[in-house]
Amino acid sequence: MGEEKKLTPRGEDFAAWYNEVVQRAELADYSPVRGSMVIRPWGYGIWENMQRALDSMFKETGHENAYFPLLIPMSFIEREKEHVEGFAPELAIVTQAGGKELEEPFAIRPTSETIIYAMYAKWVQSYRDLPILMNQWANVVRWEMRTRLFLRTAEFLWQEGHTAHATAEEAEEETLLILGIYRRFMDEWIAMPPITGLKTDSEKFAGAVRSYACEALMQDNRALQAGTSHFLGQNFARQFDLKFQSVEGREEYAWNTSWGVSTRLVGGMVMTHGDDAGVVVPPRLAPVQVVVVPILRGDDTQSRVLAKAHEVCARLKELGVRAKVDAREHLSPGNKFYEWERKGVPFRVEIGPKDLEKGQLAIARRVVPEGAKRKEFVAEAEAIASFSARLEDLQSELREAAAARREANTLRGVGSLGELQEALDSGAGFVLTGWSGDPAVEERVKELTRATARVVPGPEFRSETPPQRCVSGDGPSKMEVAWARAY
RNA sequence: CGGGGCGUGGCUCAGUCCGGUAGAGCGCUGCGUUCGGGUCGCAGAGGUCCCCGGUUCGAAUCCGGGCGCCCCGACCA
C-alpha cells in the first residue's frame, strides 16, 4: 500500500483534496482541451439523479422542456448592452464552417436568453399566448481563465429556464417560485442547505433587473453560488421585440425570467459532505445506495456466497433500493471497501461464509456518527428491511450536519470593516453586516478582505435584530448583507 | 493577464547540477497463493524522455526557440 493511495487530508490543503477526490472517485477527469472535463459514469449518474429530481419539480409547476440550438448569431448576443458586456470576455465564437469564413460569426451559447426570446417573439401575439414556461437541459461554453473540475469549466451542463409573462408581478412571482424550488432541492436532495436572497447590482446577471441566488457554504468556509433566478424585466423583450396584445387591446412588452443550476452542484455536493476518505454521496443522489460485497474464498463456499449476494441485491431492488453486487474476483474485499468508500456509496453489505452460517449480513456505513461502529451484524431479513429507513436517516443526518456547520460558521452582528476583516481572516464563513447600498463599500470590502457580497438575505435568513449602521461606519444600514469569500 | 511549478512506461515520480546502454513504486497481463479493511510470490508487457533547431563522437541531461498542463492571485454558474 503506497502513500499515493491516500488522499491529501482536507485540513492540509482543501483544493488539493478536492482535485484528488474528484478524480480518484471517478467523478470526472481532465479532457485534452484546456479547462474542459469528462464527466465519468459515477459523476454523471449523480447528475442524472439531480436532473430527474429537478425536472419533475419543474414539471409539477407547469414547465415544459424544449431545446434551442448551440449556435447563436453574434448579432443576437450584441443586442442587449449589459448582456454583451457581461459575456464578451468569455465567448467562444465560430468564424469558419464548411471550409470557409462565415459571413456572420456564431457565438457558442454562454446562455440562451437571446435566441430564446427571439423565438418567443415569433410565437407570442396575444396575452392568451402567455405565460410561456420553458426549460432546457443543455451544455454551454464560457471561456474561463482559471478552471476547476465541476466548479468552473469551459463547457458545462445545466438547465436554463426561460419564461415570459404578461405582468411584472407574475414574472417576479415566477422568479421566487424557482428560487424556492432550488432551495428545496438543495436542502432535500443534496443535503446542502443554502442561504437565499437578492444579489447586489454588482453581482447580478448581465441583463437582469434583479438576480436571486442560493449560496451554499463549503467545508473550507468559502461560499458557492449554487443556483440563480433572474427577474429580467422587459430588458430582453424590448431588444427582441417580444410583444403581446393585452386584454385591453394595448401592445405591451412581455416580462421575462431566467434561472439555472449546473453541474457545479456536483462540486458543491463533494465540498459539502466529502471527508478524508473520499466523496460522500447523499442517498437520494447515489447511483448505488448499497453495494454488496461477497467475501469470496476459493473454496466450496464461493458459489453459495455469491448466490446469496445476488439474492440480497435482488431483494433490495424490490424494495426500491439502488443496490449492486461487486463480484469482481481479482480484487480483495479490502480493496473494494476502499474503492466504494472513496466513491461515497452510503452503505455496504458484506456477505461471507460465516454470515451464511449465521443467517446474518454485515452492514457497514460510509458515515460513522460519533461513538458508533462502522460495522454491525444484523439478521438477514431484518437487515434487508432496514435499508429504506437507514437511507432516509442518513439523508437527514447529512442535511442536519451541513445546516449546523453553516450556522456555526455564520457570524452575525458585525459592525465595522475592521471586525469584518478580522472575522474573515480568522476563517469565518458568512459574515452578516449592515450596508448602506453604496457600491463603493463593496469595493472597499473586496480590497480589504477578498470577500464579496454574496447575497442580501431573504427574510428567513436575516438577523433577528437588523443592523442599524452600514459596515463602513458611513451612514445607516439600508439592508443586511452576507459577505464571504467565494468560489 | 501577473506570479510559481511541472512536462520521462497507464499513474506518481527519480535521473538533468556534473552528457556515456532509460529507472523505481503503483497499475496492467499470465500462473500460483490469498480473500471478514489496500495478500504474497514468480514470470512478463509497456517509452517519439512535450516539440523544433543547435552544440557534441555521443543529449532525457548543455544552448536557443516554441507548445502544453497544473497551482496561487485580478474577472466569473
Side-chain angles (χ1 to χ4, degrees):
Chain A
M1 126 183 65
E3 278 304 303
E4 67 190 278
K5 288 191 173 180
K6 292 215 179 71
L7 294 159
T8 300
R10 286 164 299 171
E12 192 177 296
D13 184 343
F14 194 78
W17 168 82
Y18 177 82
N19 277 327
E20 286 172 29
V21 102
V22 166
Q23 289 177 82
R24 300 264 320 273
E26 298 180 3
L27 294 174
D29 201 354
Y30 291 100
S31 89
V33 176
R34 193 189 81 83
S36 60
M37 69 173 192
V38 177
I39 303 176
R40 302 180 66 179
W42 186 246
Y44 200 78
I46 292 167
W47 175 241
E48 284 180 311
N49 286 336
M50 290 183 176
Q51 276 187 302
R52 234 188 307 278
L54 278 166
D55 200 63
S56 67
M57 290 166 112
F58 298 152
K59 301 241 170 88
E60 278 163 20
T61 45
H63 301 84
E64 297 176 301
N65 285 333
Y67 185 77
F68 293 81
L70 175 74
L71 299 176
I72 299 177
M74 213 32 224
S75 59
F76 279 37
I77 303 269
E78 284 161 356
R79 220 172 293 179
E80 215 284 340
K81 184 168 159 290
E82 288 182 31
H83 194 64
V84 209
E85 285 172 6
F87 282 106
E90 49 198 44
L91 274 188
I93 298 169
V94 178
T95 58
Q96 274 186 36
K100 52 183 183 179
E101 203 77 11
L102 291 166
E103 51 306 336
E104 183 191 353
F106 299 127
I108 299 177
R109 64 179 163 221
T111 178
S112 305
E113 275 76 6
T114 58
I115 182 71
I116 290 181
Y117 299 127
M119 295 308 295
Y120 283 6
K122 275 177 78 173
W123 301 334
V124 172
Q125 279 92 46
S126 148
Y127 70 93
R128 294 180 207 274
D129 299 321
L130 297 173
I132 297 185
L133 305 174
M134 276 193 214
N135 175 63
Q136 79 165 341
W137 292 95
N139 58 338
V140 286
V141 169
R142 298 181 187 177
W143 217 254
E144 299 286 353
M145 303 200 219
R146 227 184 111 195
T147 60
R148 299 195 65 191
L149 294 171
F150 286 112
L151 302 176
R152 182 172 299 101
T153 47
E155 178 187 358
F156 57 91
L157 303 183
W158 76 345
Q159 59 68 216
E160 47 179 324
H162 295 274
T163 68
H165 306 262
T167 66
E169 294 68 34
E170 197 184 309
E172 179 78 27
E173 203 175 298
E174 167 78 5
T175 313
L176 291 169
L177 169 74
I178 297 297
L179 186 72
I181 286 177
Y182 284 162
R183 181 185 165 194
R184 190 152 60 82
F185 169 73
M186 290 173 201
D187 250 325
E188 295 177 2
W189 288 78
I190 316 181
M192 181 180 78
I195 65 173
T196 62
L198 194 60
K199 284 282 176 186
T200 64
D201 280 351
S202 70
E203 296 280 331
K204 74 176 189 203
F205 173 71
V209 173
R210 272 190 292 285
S211 291
Y212 295 88
C214 295
E215 294 278 334
L217 196 62
M218 304 294 101
Q219 290 186 64
D220 61 348
N221 270 352
R222 290 173 70 185
L224 183 75
Q225 180 170 305
T228 47
S229 182
H230 314 288
F231 173 69
L232 302 175
Q234 295 174 312
N235 290 351
F236 287 91
R238 286 178 196 278
Q239 297 313 316
F240 290 92
D241 215 30
L242 171 47
K243 289 185 292 201
F244 68 97
Q245 195 171 17
S246 70
V247 193
E248 296 81 19
R250 283 196 307 270
E251 189 170 69
E252 292 178 18
Y253 288 110
W255 300 82
N256 298 115
T257 82
S258 70
W259 27 276
V261 298
S262 71
T263 38
R264 173 180 257 197
L265 289 174
V266 177
M269 179 201 80
V270 171
M271 292 193 292
T272 298
H273 303 298
D275 62 22
D276 290 345
V279 172
V280 172
V281 187
R284 289 186 169 188
L285 294 178
V288 175
Q289 296 169 312
V290 178
V291 63
V292 181
V293 179
I295 308 301
L296 302 174
R297 302 197 179 134
D299 58 18
D300 58 349
T301 62
Q302 173 141 342
S303 63
R304 282 185 295 135
V305 166
L306 204 51
K308 177 57 81 179
H310 281 109
E311 182 198 326
V312 168
C313 180
R315 287 175 56 197
L316 284 169
K317 284 180 174 167
E318 280 166 25
L319 294 173
V321 173
R322 292 188 288 272
K324 176 192 172 82
V325 177
D326 184 353
R328 291 175 295 177
E329 286 185 44
H330 62 289
L331 290 179
S332 69
N335 261 305
K336 296 178 187 177
F337 300 168
Y338 281 105
E339 181 177 325
W340 290 109
E341 276 169 21
R342 200 157 52 233
K343 289 184 153 184
V345 170
F347 290 97
R348 175 178 76 237
V349 165
E350 298 168 21
I351 302 178
K354 289 181 224 160
D355 304 309
L356 232 50
E357 258 172 52
K358 296 182 189 167
Q360 68 181 18
L361 303 179
I363 300 175
R365 47 174 102 204
R366 174 60 180 81
V367 177
V368 185
E370 198 80 29
K373 291 208 177 94
R374 180 178 291 283
K375 269 192 222 185
E376 55 183 310
F377 297 87
V378 184
E380 184 184 324
E382 188 192 327
I384 291 170
S386 72
F387 273 107
S388 52
R390 285 174 191 271
L391 291 164
E392 273 312 300
D393 288 350
L394 175 59
Q395 182 78 33
S396 51
E397 280 161 25
L398 290 174
R399 199 260 163 208
E400 305 289 299
R405 181 172 51 72
R406 187 195 76 197
E407 279 316 297
N409 291 286
T410 298
L411 195 57
R412 294 172 186 274
V414 166
S416 70
L417 288 175
E419 276 179 69
L420 176 59
Q421 184 173 14
E422 200 185 309
L424 288 163
D425 285 346
S426 59
F430 291 121
V431 181
L432 282 80
T433 75
W435 182 44
S436 62
D438 181 356
V441 176
E442 284 181 280
E443 261 320 299
R444 183 86 184 98
V445 169
K446 196 167 178 177
E447 278 168 25
L448 218 53
T449 66
R450 302 199 329 270
T452 48
R454 298 322 303 158
V455 90
V456 175
E460 62 273 58
F461 298 104
R462 288 180 201 149
S463 302
E464 279 175 34
T465 43
Q468 299 300 305
R469 306 279 300 167
C470 176
V471 68
S472 62
D474 222 7
S477 167
K478 288 211 182 88
M479 62 196 98
E480 194 169 23
V481 172
W483 308 91
R485 291 179 183 145
Y487 274 95

